[in-house]
Amino acid sequence: MNIQVIKTTPYSDQRPGTAGLRKRVKIFQQPHYLANFVQSIFDTLGDVKGKTLVLGGDGRYFCREAADIILRMAAANGFGRVIIGQGALLSTPGSSLIIRKNKALGGIILTASHNPGGPDGDFGLKYDASNGGLASEKMTEAFYKRSQTIESYRILEAPLTNIDALGVSQLGNMKVEVIDPVADYAVLMQSLFDFDLIHNLFQSGFRLHFDAMNGVTGPYAQEILERKIGAPAGTVVNQIPLPDFGGLHPDPNLTHAHDLVELMYGSNAADLGVATDGDGDRHMILGRRFYVGPSDSLAILTANARLVPGYRQGLVGVARSMVTSQALDYVARKLGIDYYKTPTGWKFFGNLLDAGRITFCGEESFGAGSDHVREKDGLWAVLLWLNILAVRRESVEQIVRKHWAEFGRSVYMRHDYEGIELKVADDLIAALRRSLPQLSNRSFGRYRVALADDFSYTDPVDGSVSSHQGIRIEFADGSRLAFRLSGTGTTGATLRVYLERYEPDPARHNDDTAAALAELKQIANEIAGISQRTGKEKPDVIV
Ligand code: G16
């Protein structure tokens, strides 16, 4: 088998976003595009001789072709072993676990997360470091820099490796180990949760409807929920990972998980409804005719963590992204534990988790996780909910309402304005940034500005500073607005506007969310000139 050195030229657009390089499939299919980026990663890593790499993805279109290229490049670059999920499947949290368990140098995850798949959809590639967490900004910037000067890449000339049969084979001087993607993960979940108690919950007639949206979580959920715990067959639907997600948009929110939403608001609603995304790190929670926002969910899981075997000793601390609601902070204060605010992006939790400063973390973008891995984990969150429900034997709605009664309700919404021209979006943010000094102390109706800044984060562990992480405007009564541009889209720009108001009065906890935030929405429009600049009168997606 020959190692080929292929001449290439740089592509200018290989700067990773919030979670890796995400582009249209068609872009990734351009000659040498994928190989250029993979070689840039390998070059940045330095000495990879004899090291172990983990490889897998969410099964979307182009995953198998990409896996073959990466296997041959890993062999040509001197890796000693690649551990790959059968059929090139590994969920994002699953990969994180395999990297950690095998003390691998890192892992490449082939996914564009919750973005649509298929030949006309999106593809993506992200690198997880040896701690099982997303490569740091410093590292991804180094990948990008390298991609801008690349002149050649190394690849083994070899027939297609069989990645469908479990076992070890040889590719040049490198071992390829095809593993069951689910086995180790199932063992870890069993060590954290009380499967017998959850089994009893199902025995009592409790119904779960788990929509895996034809993403990678299906096999994990079926094995753990139906086979190990004993939930009725058929509990998990859309359980087979498909290259185009069966035409679904595997984004677990109220807009895209519409079948689940219809079922949970219908007459035959289950007790708990959940959906997960393409690569299994995001999730959405619904009770019977009741939506649980991700920020609330994170706060509730934190408040109830001690009910679950894996967290019985309590949590050391918690963290949320700045734009996530403050519901978590109220719980942390009451528990007397530390809480941190990070920029958007799971990678910012990595140092806090590694340093043992936090046990739980989460984001408004349908992500929650703990120190069991270094990625967010959809199925873990569902099992945590199930374990809590099995202990408390109350409905999802009762649990949420009691939580609000105890801590107050953080009424919260995110408005997404999609497909904005890049320049229009950049100008809007730039103008907003310029206007910050004039906003201090200004009043808008009953809201007086207490703080207006561009969020900057100093990592408490390594002291690194990340600036320009979102414009935030906080009002004297604790309400707030935040604005940022999405870092995960592939066409145009998406403006995200985050609105939050604190409501301590239980008599008002039933208020309609949109109505409760209507005034703040107007203020956001006034401050940022959204409709004037984008021509949009209303958001495209509300979550
Ligand atoms: C990724 C990151 C998340 C982040 C989200 C936000 O999620 O892993 O930590 O909250 O992006 O995306 P945006 O920049 O579009 O607001 P995922 O699930 O896409 O990997």
Side-chain angles (χ1 to χ4, degrees):
M1 280 186 247
N2 277 333
I3 292 179
Q4 296 180 300
V5 178
I6 310 279
K7 290 250 159 303
T8 188
T9 48
Y11 282 95
S12 62
D13 63 347
Q14 296 200 323
R15 174 175 265 138
T18 312
L21 188 65
R22 279 186 201 166
K23 303 279 175 199
R24 290 269 181 223
V25 166
K26 299 250 162 7
I27 304 239
F28 267 100
Q29 285 173 325
Q30 297 173 95
H32 314 305
Y33 191 90
L34 175 86
N36 273 14
F37 191 64
V38 171
Q39 189 65 53
S40 304
I41 295 177
F42 290 167
D43 288 350
T44 308
L45 295 176
D47 183 16
V48 300
K49 292 260 167 330
K51 303 264 168 68
T52 297
L53 180 75
V54 170
L55 179 60
D58 61 12
R60 70 178 55 232
Y61 188 85
F62 198 55
C63 266
R64 294 179 74 98
E65 292 88 329
D68 181 62
I69 293 171
I70 296 168
L71 279 174
R72 291 189 291 122
M73 287 184 67
N77 277 272
F79 275 95
R81 176 170 70 142
V82 169
I83 303 176
I84 180 168
Q86 191 176 23
L89 291 179
L90 271 180
S91 73
T92 283
S95 305
S96 181
L97 169 64
I98 301 296
I99 293 167
R100 293 168 69 77
K101 184 164 180 265
N102 293 281
K103 306 205 166 14
L105 177 65
I108 291 181
I109 309 176
L110 306 170
T111 176
S113 187
H114 52 286
N115 295 10
D120 298 319
D122 290 344
F123 187 75
L125 185 156
K126 60 178 176 172
Y127 183 77
D128 271 8
S130 56
N131 71 344
L134 260 179
S136 64
E137 273 198 332
K138 201 169 139 211
M139 215 169 176
T140 54
E141 200 49 31
F143 299 161
Y144 170 65
K145 279 228 169 80
R146 178 67 191 125
S147 78
Q148 296 310 291
T149 56
I150 193 159
E151 289 174 348
S152 66
Y153 61 88
R154 295 164 71 82
I155 188 161
L156 197 72
E157 211 181 4
L160 207 62
T161 307
N162 180 356
I163 52 169
D164 293 312
L166 298 179
V168 183
S169 63
Q170 199 71 30
L171 183 61
N173 292 326
M174 186 182 86
K175 285 199 174 358
V176 177
E177 197 177 327
V178 180
I179 60 160
D180 172 355
V182 179
D184 287 324
Y185 182 84
V187 171
L188 176 62
M189 290 302 113
Q190 194 148 15
S191 74
L192 296 173
F193 302 111
D194 190 338
F195 279 16
D196 290 338
L197 201 73
I198 302 175
H199 172 81
N200 294 342
L201 179 72
F202 283 113
Q203 288 293 100
S204 72
F206 178 92
R207 282 195 304 135
L208 164 68
H209 185 86
F210 190 120
D211 189 343
M213 299 187 91
N214 298 320
V216 75
T217 311
Y220 290 82
Q222 252 192 332
E223 172 65 17
I224 294 173
L225 292 165
E226 296 186 10
R227 294 194 201 100
K228 288 217 161 5
I229 294 181
T235 294
V236 186
V237 302
N238 293 323
Q239 75 281 20
I240 299 172
L242 297 175
D244 64 349
F245 304 112
L248 298 179
H249 184 158
D251 193 355
N253 62 34
L254 292 173
T255 306
H256 296 304
H258 35 74
D259 288 355
L260 173 74
V261 173
E262 210 168 285
L263 184 126
M264 291 304 292
Y265 281 83
S267 54
N268 193 30
D271 298 288
L272 176 66
V274 303
T276 45
D277 71 339
D279 62 330
D281 55 359
R282 294 182 177 213
H283 74 285
M284 176 172 70
I285 298 287
L286 293 171
R288 199 172 280 204
R289 287 180 279 284
F290 193 82
Y291 166 67
V292 188
S295 300
D296 274 343
S297 180
L298 175 64
I300 291 164
L301 295 177
T302 300
N304 290 278
R306 274 176 177 273
L307 301 179
V308 174
Y311 305 102
R312 199 142 277 158
Q313 69 290 3
L315 311 179
V316 286
V318 288
R320 63 168 172 90
S321 63
M322 179 274 282
V323 293
T324 300
S325 97
Q326 301 167 94
L328 180 69
D329 308 7
Y330 304 124
V331 177
R333 271 185 228 138
K334 192 150 185 181
L335 293 176
I337 57 176
D338 288 340
Y339 56 100
Y340 300 87
K341 269 183 284 191
T342 61
T344 296
W346 205 260
K347 56 185 168 240
F348 292 102
F349 296 132
N351 277 349
L352 295 169
L353 289 163
D354 284 347
R357 291 196 185 206
I358 59 169
T359 315
F360 279 10
C361 43
E363 298 180 288
E364 50 66 43
S365 55
F366 297 88
S370 89
D371 58 0
H372 68 290
V373 288
R374 293 295 180 272
E375 291 271 10
K376 57 183 181 265
D377 190 343
L379 184 49
W380 167 87
V382 175
L383 288 164
L384 187 48
W385 261 102
L386 280 170
N387 203 147
I388 291 166
L389 287 162
V391 174
R392 290 186 52 170
R393 296 290 177 131
E394 294 166 290
S395 73
V396 170
E397 180 172 354
Q398 280 168 336
I399 290 178
V400 176
R401 290 199 180 282
K402 283 190 183 170
H403 184 90
W404 287 343
E406 183 175 354
F407 295 97
R409 177 177 177 198
S410 298
V411 188
Y412 181 87
M413 253 187 175
R414 189 183 90 197
H415 290 174
D416 293 345
Y417 298 83
E418 297 181 336
I420 306 175
E421 243 179 77
L422 290 176
K423 181 160 170 14
V424 171
D426 285 341
D427 287 352
L428 183 149
I429 293 290
L432 199 50
R433 201 171 273 140
R434 279 195 305 274
S435 72
L436 290 173
Q438 287 92 57
L439 285 175
S440 282
N441 273 321
R442 252 186 82 181
S443 286
F444 297 86
R446 63 188 157 125
Y447 295 101
R448 186 173 57 77
V449 177
L451 174 125
D453 73 353
D454 191 354
F455 181 57
S456 169
Y457 177 67
T458 304
D459 186 303
V461 179
D462 65 16
S464 59
V465 176
S466 305
S467 5
H468 302 307
Q469 296 298 325
I471 307 284
R472 56 178 180 174
I473 297 168
E474 296 187 354
F475 300 99
D477 70 344
S479 303
R480 56 183 197 138
L481 292 169
F483 304 81
R484 58 179 283 280
L485 299 181
S486 158
T488 57
T490 54
T491 33
T494 295
L495 170 70
R496 302 205 196 283
V497 182
Y498 309 82
L499 311 110
E500 178 176 356
R501 193 163 81 75
Y502 182 65
E503 182 52 75
D505 180 3
R508 307 210 56 177
H509 286 170
N510 261 338
D511 288 2
D512 176 65
T513 307
L517 296 171
E519 197 179 340
L520 280 174
K521 179 175 179 239
Q522 262 178 23
I523 297 172
N525 195 23
E526 185 181 336
I527 292 178
I530 301 170
S531 38
Q532 181 209 334
R533 286 175 179 273
T534 68
K536 288 176 185 277
E537 288 307 326
K538 56 180 178 45
D540 299 282
V541 174
I542 298 181
V543 290

